[in-house]
Amino acid sequence: MFGQKKHVRVRFAPSPTGPLNFGGVRTALFNWLFAKHEGGYFILRIEDTDKERSRPEFETDIKESLSWLGLHWDELYKQTDRIAEYEKYLTSLLERNIAYYCFCSEEDLVKDEEAQMSQGIPPKYSGRCRTIPFEEATARAKKEKHVIRLKVPEKELSFHDLIRGKVTFHLGLVGDFIIAKSLKEPLYNFANVIDDAEMEITHVVRGEEHISNTPRQIAIQEALGFSPLIYAHLPLILGANKKKLSKRDLAKSISDYRREGYLPHAVLNFLVLLGWHPKEDKEILSVEEMQKEFSFDRVQKAGGIFNIEKLDWFNGYYIRALSDETLALLLEELVPPAWMNDRNKFVKTVSVEKERMKKLTDFAGAVKFLFELPVYAPELLLWKHTPAATIAGNLKEAIGIFEGIAEEDFHKRTIESKMMLFAEMRGRGEVLWPIRVALSGNGASPGPFDLADILGKRETLLRMKHAYALLSKKHEAE
Ligand code: GLU
């Protein structure tokens, strides 16, 4: 049904109980890179058997985030479409007496556990329902509340982990665990194992937090006679303090980062280094390089440190790597439509601001003053103790100089050479400061010549005249 097992086949198997976060997407990325590196298949499997916690909107979020990052899947499955499949296997296990119905009440289980604890024995299911004859149990299951448990042998088992080597567990500690709430309600471990086998998965690549599920899953595999799999349990993602990543950090989803103005390539580059490093410890990697170089040999056992400043750094880097035009296209959606009336001005602004940007969403706030002159107090135009009349005079002369520059010469270089001559005569601060304030409405801004260049002759003169009028009014009032 799923093709022949000759290629690497890996799966990303999220439960849609929340939006895709960094933990999940790092797992998806490592699966995807391994598949690409090996010329294999990357399968997306939505593990939605938990009806109470699974939500369609989270499934949509997961798919949209993966697509946004370019992690395209080759095949897609959803567990709730496959309930009949799991039922078939459950029935077979029950008939072969490898699984059994259990009717123990919550109180029985709690009592058993307390008794075991008081004797200093690690608690596990007592096995009370193991011996109920199959026919009797089947009849009771039609009327009584029940679960289905696997008969777990008391033996040691091991598996091969590409990151940890050979890992050994003793099943004696596990006990007969629950594999389904009923024939139509398989639990996570069970559906997961059936799917890995039926979908001919070759490698299970997932977070370290799943390592404790592995012995249970192998017990199910063995009960069903499935072939063993190869595992790679990825290191945890740790916060900057080397502790487990806080709920707050994890609560933020990939779609939040997307909305905040992070670029997919920056997110991928940041993620790939969470637990893996390429040869020669290169930091900047194209997606092709990631695919080419990826291998589990260089995935570490120790947790990867999640450092958000690093993500910002990558994002700034990839923003600067975009052409002004491409970046302008991305930013268009994030600014008021009126800003696009003069596209030239917009692209020029993008080109200047690009050097400073960390996130796409920083842009609008940082350059707003170029499109809408903020209200400012006339006093801001004053330079130190220079009288208002002098500053007003300087502004008037500067207006004359701006007017004298032809439209086609109105570029930074020409403006700078003319204006500097004047500034050297009258004093830099006394000339350049009020121009900068006149053009930006603000004391802290790019230099006045950059501003004039971006604003263009018409807007520059409008702003200069406005400043002059403000100052003259103030002067008259005094
Ligand atoms: N559904 C599991 C999860 O979301 C996946 C476990 C696995 O990859 O085997 O954590």
Side-chain angles (χ1 to χ4, degrees):
M1 157 183 194
F2 292 102
Q4 273 161 24
K5 187 173 183 164
K6 42 183 191 267
H7 291 289
V8 158
R9 290 175 60 85
V10 289
R11 82 303 193 277
F12 173 50
S15 306
T17 53
L20 190 64
N21 62 25
F22 268 108
V25 79
R26 199 267 315 249
T27 301
L29 174 64
F30 282 28
N31 271 288
W32 184 81
L33 288 175
F34 182 58
K36 294 290 156 195
H37 183 86
E38 298 291 328
Y41 294 85
F42 172 66
I43 288 147
L44 175 61
R45 183 168 82 218
I46 305 292
E47 299 207 325
D48 57 346
T49 51
D50 183 341
K51 286 196 211 96
E52 268 107 67
R53 294 173 58 227
S54 299
R55 300 255 185 293
E57 61 269 29
F58 295 139
E59 185 181 328
T60 307
D61 177 89
I62 292 167
K63 289 180 184 162
E64 281 180 359
S65 296
L66 289 176
S67 303
W68 175 67
L69 291 167
L71 304 182
H72 303 296
W73 50 91
D74 300 302
E75 294 167 28
L76 170 68
Y77 304 100
K78 191 167 154 162
Q79 290 191 324
T80 45
D81 294 340
R82 296 173 39 75
I83 296 297
E85 208 57 39
Y86 312 127
E87 183 172 357
K88 218 171 63 192
Y89 285 97
L90 281 170
T91 309
S92 147
L93 284 177
L94 286 165
E95 282 171 2
R96 286 157 46 220
N97 201 20
I98 302 174
Y100 59 92
Y101 288 111
C102 169
F103 304 95
C104 292
S105 65
E106 198 58 47
E107 298 87 75
D108 290 340
L109 296 174
V110 171
K111 258 192 238 141
D112 289 349
E113 196 176 307
E114 281 168 0
Q116 285 167 337
M117 303 267 268
S118 69
Q119 291 170 49
I121 309 171
K124 66 176 185 186
Y125 179 60
S126 68
R128 189 182 297 110
C129 295
R130 240 184 192 231
T131 49
I132 305 175
F134 176 64
E135 283 73 25
E136 182 189 331
T138 313
R140 278 178 66 183
K142 295 209 167 78
K143 305 183 287 271
E144 282 178 48
K145 200 167 169 325
H146 61 270
V147 294
I148 301 171
R149 290 182 184 271
L150 185 74
K151 279 193 180 164
V152 179
E154 299 227 344
K155 64 167 197 175
E156 205 172 76
L157 54 81
S158 29
F159 61 88
H160 184 63
D161 189 291
L162 292 174
I163 299 162
R164 275 145 242 273
K166 186 173 166 184
V167 182
T168 306
F169 276 92
H170 205 289
L171 279 180
L173 296 171
V174 171
D176 293 350
F177 61 92
I178 303 173
I179 53 176
K181 289 202 262 183
S182 73
L183 281 175
K184 296 205 187 304
E185 295 169 291
L187 289 187
Y188 152 69
N189 275 322
F190 189 73
N192 187 279
V193 169
I194 303 298
D195 284 349
D196 283 347
E198 288 218 330
M199 294 166 194
E200 301 197 328
I201 298 303
T202 54
H203 298 72
V204 171
V205 179
R206 61 185 174 194
E208 189 183 298
E209 64 278 14
H210 285 290
I211 208 159
S212 59
N213 289 320
T214 311
R216 287 179 173 76
Q217 294 178 352
I218 295 177
I220 299 170
Q221 267 166 31
E222 290 190 350
L224 287 163
F226 294 154
S227 326
L229 300 169
I230 300 170
Y231 295 84
H233 286 98
L234 305 175
L236 295 173
I237 300 180
L238 302 175
N241 51 6
K242 300 208 173 168
K243 301 237 175 66
K244 241 183 120 170
L245 203 58
S246 73
K247 281 250 162 55
R248 216 192 51 218
D249 286 328
L250 274 176
K252 232 164 126 177
S253 64
I254 294 297
S255 35
D256 290 333
Y257 285 96
R258 176 184 181 177
R259 270 190 294 276
E260 280 179 23
Y262 288 92
L263 298 177
H265 194 172
V267 173
L268 291 178
N269 203 149
F270 170 70
L271 278 171
V272 80
L273 298 175
L274 281 180
W276 176 80
H277 62 97
K279 277 190 226 121
E280 290 142 28
D281 276 342
K282 231 166 46 171
E283 290 234 294
I284 296 291
L285 294 147
S286 70
V287 176
E288 292 72 29
E289 284 172 313
M290 293 179 204
Q291 291 181 4
K292 204 164 135 243
E293 295 210 23
F294 187 81
S295 92
F296 286 109
D297 302 347
R298 271 181 266 107
V299 175
Q300 71 203 32
K301 277 196 212 106
I305 307 289
F306 181 93
N307 177 354
I308 193 78
E309 281 146 29
K310 196 80 203 237
L311 175 61
D312 286 351
W313 183 84
F314 277 121
N315 209 50
Y317 177 88
Y318 285 111
I319 285 177
R320 285 189 294 283
L322 296 174
S323 72
D324 294 349
E325 255 312 315
T326 311
L327 183 55
L329 283 175
L330 291 176
L331 292 168
E332 261 182 44
E333 297 172 12
L334 301 173
V335 301
W339 292 16
M340 302 315 296
N341 293 347
D342 181 348
R343 205 181 148 79
N344 257 344
K345 174 178 172 188
F346 186 70
V347 177
K348 236 184 219 177
T349 308
V350 169
S351 165
V352 169
E353 192 55 27
K354 187 160 110 171
E355 300 310 315
R356 265 190 295 270
M357 270 166 68
K358 288 213 176 101
K359 293 184 253 171
L360 300 182
T361 43
D362 293 341
F363 178 76
V367 304
K368 184 165 186 257
F369 70 95
L370 290 169
F371 296 87
E372 298 155 32
L373 179 67
V375 177
Y376 61 93
E379 290 75 20
L380 195 59
L381 291 159
L382 299 180
W383 173 254
K384 296 193 176 158
H385 299 299
T386 312
T390 313
I391 298 286
N394 288 349
L395 278 172
K396 192 162 186 201
E397 272 192 75
I399 291 172
I401 296 172
F402 280 131
E403 272 170 343
I405 304 173
E407 187 88 49
E408 62 273 20
D409 293 335
F410 207 84
H411 300 303
K412 186 177 170 188
R413 192 115 46 84
T414 321
I415 300 167
E416 184 165 5
S417 69
K418 302 238 162 159
M419 211 49 91
M420 279 315 282
L421 226 74
F422 172 53
E424 294 304 343
M425 264 158 45
R426 295 279 191 282
R428 286 185 175 221
E430 285 83 346
V431 170
L432 300 183
W433 174 263
I435 299 182
R436 179 210 282 271
V437 174
L439 298 186
S440 67
N442 202 315
S445 71
F449 314 124
D450 278 315
L451 291 174
D453 185 340
I454 295 175
L455 291 169
K457 183 169 176 179
R458 201 179 139 265
E459 180 69 18
T460 296
L461 283 170
L462 274 175
R463 290 186 180 201
M464 290 292 290
K465 286 176 184 165
H466 171 68
Y468 176 71
L470 274 181
L471 207 53
S472 312
K473 227 190 275 160
K474 176 181 156 53
H475 182 53
E476 276 162 24
E478 274 167 9

